[in-house]
Amino acid sequence: MPTDAQLAVALLARTDHGRVATTRRALPFLAFATHIVQDGRLLLRMPRSCGYHHACVGSVVAYGADNLGSAGPGEGLWSVQVVGACESHEPTADQVERFGPAPGTVNGEPYEPVYLRIEPRLSTVHSTDGGLERRFGHTL
């Protein structure tokens, strides 16, 4: 079985969105993001109009994803969180393509993406009822 760090990144590679957690004006907050995994790092795409990227860049953030809303009947639940320093990122054309289509608007504003990168340093993985072993064990 892979280490928690390897499993966390492998699980994140199987999802396309999650939540980034950091602080803003000393208060905790969560923001949604789309992500891809590249060379063990997380690349995030967020809406510039929300301004959340300002609190993320240069900070240590947590990023999490799960299958809580998508698990099928009898399928175990899992959640993963990675923690690491967040930096601005200039994506390559291939990376932009891997993110897929962007939404047209966010909160009624035209969508303009901002890209960030997280280098995972700590990770946690939790699952129920052997869900990871049954669903992912053969491919990890």
Side-chain angles (χ1 to χ4, degrees):
M1 191 72 160
T3 67
D4 275 355
Q6 292 168 324
L7 183 56
V9 171
L11 288 169
L12 286 169
R14 290 175 169 83
T15 63
D16 60 3
H17 62 279
R19 291 166 289 300
V20 63
T22 190
T23 58
R24 189 172 190 182
R25 297 184 190 106
L27 297 173
F29 80 95
L30 294 172
F32 70 92
T34 305
H35 69 266
I36 61 172
V37 174
Q38 177 103 34
D39 301 324
R41 295 179 182 93
L42 287 172
L43 305 181
L44 309 183
R45 180 177 70 187
M46 301 175 74
R48 185 177 301 275
S49 62
C50 293
Y52 297 141
H53 61 287
H54 294 297
C56 296
V57 172
S59 297
V60 173
V61 302
Y63 188 80
D66 55 57
N67 73 338
L68 301 178
S70 62
E75 184 179 345
L77 301 175
W78 59 265
S79 72
V80 60
Q81 174 181 282
V82 296
V83 176
C86 184
E87 303 172 354
S88 292
H89 180 71
E90 187 63 40
T92 65
D94 178 60
Q95 290 168 346
V96 171
E97 185 176 322
R98 286 183 52 210
F99 274 104
T105 62
V106 172
N107 299 333
E109 303 264 337
Y111 185 85
E112 181 185 349
V114 62
Y115 296 91
L116 308 175
R117 180 178 67 221
I118 300 172
E119 177 102 26
R121 295 292 180 208
L122 301 169
S123 60
T124 57
V125 177
H126 299 288
S127 67
T128 63
D129 300 325
L132 293 177
E133 292 79 6
R134 283 197 312 274
R135 177 148 182 170
F136 300 113
H138 66 283
T139 61
L140 296 174

